[in-house]
């Protein structure tokens, strides 16, 4: 067994018995204990209920005696199972010896959560976490234990989905937790380093990688960049850090222990010198909305020199909503009312002292660039998007490079095509001869919408790569009876915007 266990948490399985881990993995796959297998067994409603910390539908769906039902009850629902039944499904004695299972009388129970997880290319992976933490999260089980390691949540899958997935030599996962980001990186990186302040998290990451059949990572204990050498650089850096802005650092998995949003600021600021040229860094973060300061200015000040940045704010909560969210996450609402009120007061006192009126949540992507004037885009986008978004993120920075290298004259000489799945909407009064305005809308990626004038709509509609932008504008000018020189002068800004937002692509 591992020696990193918190006395209030279950001892962890051994990470030093690859022979047993391989046998366990083979048994799980042989019983279809996979993401697809779970969906087929439980059905969509019960499967979705698990993410809301509701286990009753899944318990009802696993009242049978098939190997898959036994494994779901054992590893995902944490129900004890008769020893005799498990011997038909798993290498029980080896699992007992190495700590994956414990025995009490005639029953066995799991020591960790094991959640099937489908990789981006159809891989059957498994995410290991502390008991009760693969389903819903800490708030779903009321687990207050310091050092608890959570499994897959919405934040984890968001970060995994927006990460650029190109082959790289070296990747770094800061604050690895259960190891999901390191697992994704291992699929396209030659070498993966994973760090965490919690030694229990590093142990669980080793289990996640081994049980998923992935190469081992270089696991290092410490905060942010402290565990890696000063001259170590990477092609990819990812982090779902403990970004919660809280009074104190009660829960390791979420509370950074620094004042306000300092942890996220430091993480971003220290990343520039750690990225290789062209390398990407992807972070989830919270940031303060401070009285008298624009949040975009605050975030722009974090961006290190020599990096392009794309910052997207997905959600904003006032300080009361924010405090309530994370108090409930810790299960405090179920405890003593006076203690709950005292903790709520402490959060509001902290925000009041810092003149914080709201907290933003979103993602930050950096790319190391040699450009004299790096591009920093900070925007609010609370609307639905299409995951995975990694290719959209990569394309954003490709467009940044293109626009940086093309002035207005060069844009007029260039050829463009309309991006796939862009539709046009005309808005106006019924029966009106002309629309009040025209909207172009994307059905993929960021699913943006932008208003254009009739020239912009006509221009986009005929962009098929065969004619230069200037020739298209000349034809439009002749059609509408406008001076072609004037049209060439005023349209490049609109073309630039359409390229920047991904409606038009260089041919």
């Amino acid at each position: 067994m591992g020696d990193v266990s918190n006395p209030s948490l279950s001892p962890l399985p051994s990470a030093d018995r690859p022979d047993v881990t391989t046998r366990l993995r083979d048994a799980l796959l042989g019983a279809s204990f996979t993401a697809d297998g779970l969906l087929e067994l439980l059905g969509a409603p019960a499967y979705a209920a698990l993410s809301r910390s509701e286990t009753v539908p899944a318990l009802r769906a696993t009242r049978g005696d098939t190997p898959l039902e036994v494994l779901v009850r054992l590893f995902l629902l944490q129900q004890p199972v008769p020893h005799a039944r498990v011997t038909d499904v798993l290498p029980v004695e080896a699992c007992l010896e190495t700590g994956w299972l414990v025995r009490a009388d005639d029953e066995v129970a799991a020591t960790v959560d094991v959640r099937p997880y489908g990789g981006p290319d159809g891989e059957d992976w498994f995410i290991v976490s502390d008991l009760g933490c693969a389903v819903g999260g800490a708030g779903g089980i009321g687990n207050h234990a310091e050092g608890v390691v959570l499994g897959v949540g919405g934040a984890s899958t968001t970060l995994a989905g927006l990460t650029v997935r190109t082959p790289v030599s070296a990747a770094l996962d800061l604050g690895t937790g259960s190891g999901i980001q390191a697992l994704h990186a291992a699929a396209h990186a030659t070498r993966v380093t994973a760090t965490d302040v919690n030694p229990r998290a590093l142990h669980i990451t080793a289990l996640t990688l081994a049980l998923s059949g992935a190469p081992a990572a270089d696991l290092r204990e410490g905060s942010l960049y402290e565990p890696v050498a000063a001259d170590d650089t990477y092609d990819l850096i990812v982090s779902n850090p403990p970004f919660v802005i809280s009074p104190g650092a009660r829960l390791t998995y979420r509370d950074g222990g620094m004042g306000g949003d300092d942890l996220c600021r430091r993480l971003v600021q220290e990343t520039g010198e750690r990225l290789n040229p062209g390398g990407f860094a992807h972070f989830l973060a919270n940031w303060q909305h401070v009285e008298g300061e624009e949040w975009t200015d605050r975030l722009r000040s974090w961006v290190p020199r020599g990096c392009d940045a794309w910052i997207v704010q997905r959600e904003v909560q006032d300080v009361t909503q924010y405090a309530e969210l994370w108090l409930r996450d810790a299960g405090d609402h179920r405890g003593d009312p006076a203690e709950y009120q005292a903790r709520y007061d402490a959060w509001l006192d902290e925000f009041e002292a810092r003149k914080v009126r709201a907290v933003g949540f979103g993602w930050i992507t950096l790319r190391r660039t040699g450009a004299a004037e790096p591009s920093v885009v900070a925007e609010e986008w609370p609307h639905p998007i299409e995951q995975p978004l990694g290719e959209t993120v990569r394309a954003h920075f490709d467009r940044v490079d293109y626009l940086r290298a093309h002035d207005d004259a060069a844009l007029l000489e260039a050829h463009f095509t309309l991006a796939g799945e862009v539709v046009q909407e005309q808005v106006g009064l019924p029966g009106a001869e002309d629309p009040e305005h025209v909207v172009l809308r994307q059905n993929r990626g960021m699913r943006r919408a932008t208003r254009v004038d009739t020239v912009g709509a006509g221009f986009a509609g005929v962009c098929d790569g065969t004619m230069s932008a200037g020739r298209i504008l000349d034809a439009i000018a002749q059609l509408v009876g406008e001076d072609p020189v004037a049209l060439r002068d005023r349209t490049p800004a609109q073309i630039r915007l359409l390229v920047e937002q991904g409606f038009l692509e260089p041919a």
Side-chain angles (χ1 to χ4, degrees):
M1 300 240 182
D3 59 359
V4 297
S5 58
N6 181 320
S8 64
L9 295 169
S10 297
L12 294 175
S14 170
D16 301 322
R17 289 291 302 275
D19 56 323
V20 176
T21 306
T22 298
R23 291 173 63 194
L24 175 57
R25 172 177 170 80
D26 290 343
L28 297 178
L29 294 176
S32 296
F33 187 64
T34 63
D36 289 341
L38 283 187
L39 183 59
E40 183 176 351
L41 170 68
L42 302 179
Y47 192 66
L50 288 177
S51 66
R52 303 192 300 270
S53 308
E54 298 291 349
T55 58
V56 172
L59 286 168
R60 291 173 61 86
T62 56
R63 289 178 292 192
D65 201 34
T66 67
L68 180 54
E69 288 170 299
V70 169
L71 292 177
V72 171
R73 288 199 301 274
L74 184 65
F75 283 117
L76 199 56
L77 301 177
Q78 284 83 62
Q79 301 294 305
V81 175
H83 178 275
R85 182 65 191 94
V86 182
T87 56
D88 298 333
V89 184
L90 296 175
V92 174
E93 297 309 314
C95 288
L96 288 168
E97 178 188 347
T98 53
W100 288 96
L101 301 175
V102 292
R103 182 170 183 174
D105 298 326
D106 293 330
E107 293 183 323
V108 296
T111 58
V112 288
D113 270 342
V114 176
R115 175 172 174 172
Y117 180 82
D121 295 318
E123 303 95 337
D124 288 317
W125 290 339
F126 300 98
I127 308 299
V128 180
S129 63
D130 272 313
L131 287 174
C133 294
V135 178
I141 60 170
N143 194 330
H144 297 262
E146 175 65 19
V148 67
V149 179
L150 270 62
V152 181
S156 300
T157 55
T158 294
L159 179 59
L162 64 88
T163 300
V164 174
R165 301 293 176 192
T166 54
V168 296
S169 296
L172 173 64
D173 176 15
L174 291 173
T176 187
S178 62
I180 180 175
Q181 308 305 330
L183 179 58
H184 274 278
H188 63 103
T190 304
R191 175 171 58 89
V192 176
T193 302
T195 73
D196 206 290
V197 296
N198 184 1
R200 189 177 182 87
L202 297 176
H203 190 110
I204 283 180
T205 291
L207 297 175
T208 289
L209 293 172
L211 195 59
S212 298
D218 179 6
L219 304 176
R220 303 186 187 184
E221 182 181 346
S223 176
L224 301 180
Y225 289 105
E226 290 173 4
V228 297
D231 57 351
D232 282 354
T233 57
Y234 302 88
D235 307 298
L236 174 67
I237 299 174
V238 294
S239 183
N240 177 15
F243 53 66
V244 175
I245 300 171
S246 60
R250 190 157 58 106
L251 296 174
T252 304
Y253 72 86
R254 70 170 205 191
D255 300 322
M258 298 184 188
D261 53 15
D262 282 355
L263 183 137
C264 291
R265 175 186 57 78
R266 272 192 56 189
L267 174 61
V268 174
Q269 289 180 336
E270 293 177 4
T271 293
E273 61 190 19
R274 298 292 186 164
L275 278 176
N276 290 327
F280 283 94
H282 304 274
F283 309 120
L284 300 186
N286 276 182
W287 43 80
Q288 299 173 148
H289 285 229
V290 180
E291 292 179 14
E293 177 187 61
E294 291 293 330
W295 74 267
T296 51
D297 293 338
R298 184 179 192 85
L299 271 292
R300 287 175 184 275
S301 73
W302 294 5
V303 178
R305 295 180 60 183
C307 286
D308 292 325
W310 185 18
I311 302 162
V312 180
Q313 180 167 272
R314 295 287 290 155
E315 185 179 0
V316 180
Q317 291 185 319
D318 67 50
V319 292
T320 59
Q321 292 174 310
Y322 189 80
E324 291 162 13
L325 169 67
W326 294 109
L327 288 168
R328 287 180 176 274
D329 171 81
D332 292 329
H333 60 301
R334 299 196 191 99
D336 178 60
E339 187 175 354
Y340 174 79
Q341 182 175 340
R343 284 180 170 158
Y344 200 149
D345 268 331
W347 283 67
L348 297 186
D349 286 344
E350 178 84 3
F351 288 133
E352 185 176 343
R354 295 178 177 276
K355 298 182 178 180
V356 176
R357 56 181 175 80
V359 177
F361 168 80
W363 67 68
I364 300 171
T365 298
L366 304 178
R367 184 190 60 168
R368 188 75 183 179
T369 180
E373 295 185 13
S375 165
V376 178
V377 176
E379 62 175 324
E380 185 163 16
W381 192 255
H383 312 294
I385 60 172
E386 181 191 46
Q387 285 274 35
L389 207 63
E391 183 59 25
T392 299
V393 173
R394 185 200 59 76
H396 166 88
F397 289 94
D398 286 348
R399 294 193 298 270
V400 166
D401 287 340
Y402 179 86
L403 291 173
R404 198 154 40 200
H406 290 73
D407 59 17
D408 287 355
L411 283 183
L412 292 175
E413 293 299 319
H415 295 236
F416 299 96
T417 59
L418 186 65
E421 297 199 38
V422 173
V423 297
Q424 176 179 304
E425 300 174 358
Q426 297 187 171
V427 181
L429 293 173
E433 184 175 344
D434 296 313
E436 293 178 13
H437 58 264
V438 178
V439 173
L440 299 181
R441 187 178 301 277
Q442 300 168 350
N443 286 323
R444 303 296 301 273
M446 291 294 285
R447 293 179 173 167
R448 295 188 185 277
T450 190
R451 184 183 297 190
V452 293
D453 59 21
T454 53
V455 170
F459 178 87
V462 297
C463 279
D464 60 4
T466 58
M467 289 196 300
S468 69
R471 288 187 59 195
I472 293 174
L473 291 178
D474 291 343
I476 292 175
Q478 184 176 7
L479 184 64
V480 300
E482 188 170 341
D483 179 6
V485 175
L487 195 60
R488 279 174 171 256
D489 284 344
R490 69 178 175 84
T491 306
Q494 191 168 191
I495 297 174
R496 190 171 293 275
L497 178 64
L498 292 175
V499 173
E500 178 183 317
Q501 295 190 344
F503 290 93
L504 294 179
E505 299 173 348

